[in-house]
Amino acid sequence: MLVPRDEAPVAARRGRDRRARVLPPRPGRPRIEGEPPTTAVVGGGIAGLAAATALAERGVRVTLHEREAALGGRLAGRPTELADGSGVTMSRGFHAFFRQYYNLRGLLRRADPGLEALTALPDYPLRHSSGLRDGFRRVPRTPPWSALGFVALSPTFRARDLLRMNPVAALPLLDVRVPDVYERLDGVSARDFLDAIRFPAAAHHLAFEVFSRSFFADPRELSAAEMALMFHIYFLGSSEGLLFDVPGEPFPAALWEPLARYLRGHGAELCTGSPVDGVAPAPDGGFTVAGPAGSRHHDAVVLALDTGGLRSLVDRSPGLGDARWRGQVARLRTAPPFLVSRLWLDRPVAPERPGFLGTSGFGSLDNVSVLDRWEGEAARWAARTGGSVVELHAYALPEGADRAREQERLVGQLHAVYPETRAARVVDARHEWRADCPLFPVGGHADRPTVRTPHPALMVAGDLVRTDLPVALMERAATSGFLAANALLERWGVRGQTLWTVPDRGRSAPLRALAKWRRGE
């Protein structure tokens, strides 16, 4: 059943935490005056759309190039026809729009001021194969009671487990400062950091791997600084907690088509199915952007690509950057492959099943979504057929995994989680295999490219970029896109986009004092 439309948007439209940090832009004119500069934005995902929006709103003539047929990047969708003749939209699946994603939500508000397209889910439930269950609905939202409440309410923290923990090793979590956290923890893996704290094994697997799974990474390879940053964003840095919203329709209809109309209304040229072959610095300080349809000159360029796309384009553009910058780009790594399987079943799952469930201990299965609980298109299909639409995610799979075998295993793991699905017939299925999310490896932060490059009119945006702000995942993508636009607007004397983040340090003075003592300050 869908969340009622008169209830869901209430949480989706919540304002920012009153202690959120504001990052005002540099002073300048409100808009471009005279002949507008031209900017090519390469990549139509969240980062590219954010950059294009901020530039077009201020009168810059924007041309956005997206290689695929639709906007959205890793949140794009494409039409497909099922075996029963139904037309549906297939995407790379579930994404949580957390309430701390201030800049992403600000981008979406351009075309949807009330965020009516987002639907609130009531909880972030977790389930382990041992039978342990957890969630975040009852956890207090205000730091530090959020972290303390989680420990008190979670069945993964028993009294004897708490006595075994090393509280001194956990003190860095109490005052996560950006970028200091990278100097202190980037050389340690997330797994080793949790081992040093001696978190209970159940909490290790059920609760804290939520953060490493968000990065599509094995915690043995993930920087502890990134995990600590996530802990800060959701527990000790903001009062929004780990509750989230999801789009009530597939990504194209809910998010990107309205935003595309908004951009076109501001004069932006949106070129989908338009790959860029190379970018070359021009003698006048601008750039020549080459593609299958020919070359065009632009005054500035924003590269808003995924890891593989950025590496490939820079490799094909030998005139870009200097040796150090090109080396940084070449050393970027992608997270391991992941699988998204969407199944259209001939019967419903049990009515008590949540719209989303994080899982652990069920082999490669990381989460299960019952899409017809909250997505309109899936709900309409389920109502018409009497079936259900179920989506399965498996992250950090082995390189070279046998795809057919992994897909079969994933369905078998669904049967273990929701036994009633064993009797269901699969009307149709779609499987997405991808390996294009950025990896944040141990010790890799200092070597990541930043928004600014050796060329003052060439910017990089995306969730792979080092921003030195307390943002991650989709919010890092949106924030970096706005930062790229702001850097260009500053060159032209125009005021940029105001940004917001959670506080860049712990909110509790006593806890900050404890962390400071641990640092020996």
Side-chain angles (χ1 to χ4, degrees):
M1 180 183 297
L2 288 172
V3 178
R5 287 289 177 180
D6 58 344
E7 297 174 13
V10 173
R13 290 196 297 266
R14 289 181 61 207
R16 290 179 290 270
D17 182 337
R18 63 184 178 83
R19 295 181 65 177
R21 179 188 177 204
V22 60
L23 301 170
R26 295 282 183 91
R29 300 188 306 273
R31 285 181 58 84
I32 294 290
E33 297 175 358
E35 181 67 20
T38 61
T39 299
V41 176
V42 185
I46 291 172
L49 289 167
T53 298
L55 292 168
E57 286 174 338
R58 286 151 180 82
V60 177
R61 198 159 60 228
V62 173
T63 302
L64 185 148
H65 293 272
E66 167 54 46
R67 178 186 61 189
E68 303 298 332
L71 298 175
R74 296 200 293 272
L75 273 73
R78 68 177 190 278
T80 186
E81 184 174 309
L82 302 183
D84 68 354
S86 300
V88 297
T89 307
M90 183 58 190
S91 70
R92 296 166 40 139
F94 170 86
H95 279 72
F97 287 68
F98 288 98
R99 314 273 164 76
Q100 297 91 335
Y101 289 177
Y102 306 135
N103 299 316
L104 173 58
R105 295 163 87 90
L107 172 65
L108 299 179
R109 285 183 191 276
R110 269 32 181 235
D112 180 13
L115 294 181
E116 301 288 347
L118 296 183
T119 294
L121 293 191
D123 197 3
Y124 190 152
L126 305 169
R127 179 179 165 189
H128 193 271
S129 59
S130 65
L132 284 174
R133 297 172 184 266
D134 219 331
F136 297 94
R137 179 173 56 183
R138 296 183 300 128
V139 174
R141 311 276 176 81
T142 303
W145 308 114
S146 48
L148 295 174
F150 174 67
V151 171
L153 294 170
S154 173
T156 65
F157 288 92
R158 298 168 297 181
R160 65 175 180 269
D161 295 324
L162 294 175
L163 292 174
R164 289 187 61 254
M165 288 176 60
N166 179 0
V168 174
L171 289 178
L173 295 175
L174 305 182
D175 187 21
V176 172
R177 302 186 182 194
V178 182
D180 293 1
V181 66
Y182 292 101
E183 297 172 10
R184 300 180 185 280
L185 295 179
D186 196 48
V188 182
S189 76
R191 173 61 59 84
D192 289 344
F193 181 67
L194 293 177
D195 284 345
I197 298 173
R198 297 198 293 270
F199 271 115
H204 224 277
H205 295 297
L206 187 59
F208 286 90
E209 284 190 7
V210 165
F211 301 123
S212 60
R213 286 197 297 263
S214 296
F215 288 103
F216 296 76
D218 187 306
R220 293 170 295 186
E221 289 196 61
L222 177 67
S223 163
E226 293 289 347
M227 193 203 68
L229 179 63
M230 297 282 278
F231 187 89
H232 170 75
I233 291 170
Y234 297 118
F235 281 110
L236 290 177
S238 73
S239 62
E240 282 92 354
L242 264 168
L243 299 183
F244 56 82
D245 309 310
V246 291
E249 293 291 343
F251 298 134
L255 308 177
W256 312 133
E257 290 166 6
L259 191 57
R261 290 192 291 271
Y262 177 85
L263 277 165
R264 291 190 180 100
H266 283 78
E269 181 183 0
L270 307 182
C271 305
T272 54
S274 176
V276 168
D277 296 330
V279 178
D284 66 353
F287 298 89
T288 300
V289 177
S295 299
R296 291 174 63 178
H297 177 274
H298 294 277
D299 298 303
V301 171
V302 178
L303 302 179
L305 299 160
D306 61 27
T307 301
L310 180 61
R311 282 199 315 246
S312 177
L313 181 58
V314 170
D315 188 57
R316 299 193 306 270
S317 306
L320 287 187
D322 55 21
R324 179 177 178 274
W325 182 79
R326 294 180 68 84
Q328 287 179 323
V329 172
R331 287 187 291 272
L332 290 171
R333 296 169 57 192
T334 56
F338 67 92
L339 167 63
V340 175
S341 290
R342 189 174 296 183
L343 312 176
W344 286 263
L345 305 180
D346 70 345
R347 64 196 66 194
V349 299
E352 69 271 15
R353 304 305 186 195
F356 173 83
L357 175 70
T359 61
S360 185
F362 293 95
S364 60
L365 181 67
D366 284 294
N367 57 63
V368 181
S369 297
V370 183
L371 266 67
D372 50 277
R373 296 281 194 267
W374 45 266
E375 187 196 83
E377 181 182 273
R380 291 187 291 273
W381 185 89
R384 187 174 67 252
T385 64
S388 59
V389 186
V390 177
E391 185 177 277
L392 316 174
H393 287 207
Y395 305 143
L397 293 172
E399 298 285 349
D402 184 302
R403 295 192 174 191
R405 191 174 183 185
E406 291 294 342
Q407 290 164 192
E408 184 179 349
R409 282 177 175 169
L410 203 58
V411 175
Q413 291 155 15
L414 167 67
H415 296 163
V417 178
Y418 293 163
E420 69 272 18
T421 60
R422 291 193 180 103
R425 180 177 65 86
V426 178
V427 175
D428 210 336
R430 294 290 185 276
H431 305 282
E432 289 279 332
W433 280 87
R434 301 284 179 163
D436 52 8
C437 296
L439 181 67
F440 300 92
V442 176
H445 177 261
D447 197 42
R448 304 193 80 78
T450 60
V451 168
R452 295 177 185 267
T453 76
H455 300 282
L458 175 71
M459 304 295 158
V460 179
D463 56 351
L464 58 83
V465 167
R466 189 176 87 227
T467 64
D468 291 339
L469 294 172
V471 291
L473 306 171
M474 291 191 291
E475 179 69 351
R476 185 177 287 164
T479 303
S480 67
F482 285 132
L483 287 172
N486 283 1
L488 293 176
L489 292 168
E490 181 184 331
R491 296 187 72 241
W492 299 319
V494 175
R495 185 173 64 250
Q497 165 77 35
T498 298
L499 300 177
W500 297 81
T501 73
V502 301
D504 61 352
R505 60 191 59 204
R507 290 169 46 135
S508 167
L511 296 184
R512 288 201 305 269
L514 278 173
K516 187 175 181 180
W517 168 78
R518 174 67 175 83
R519 293 194 296 264
E521 297 177 3

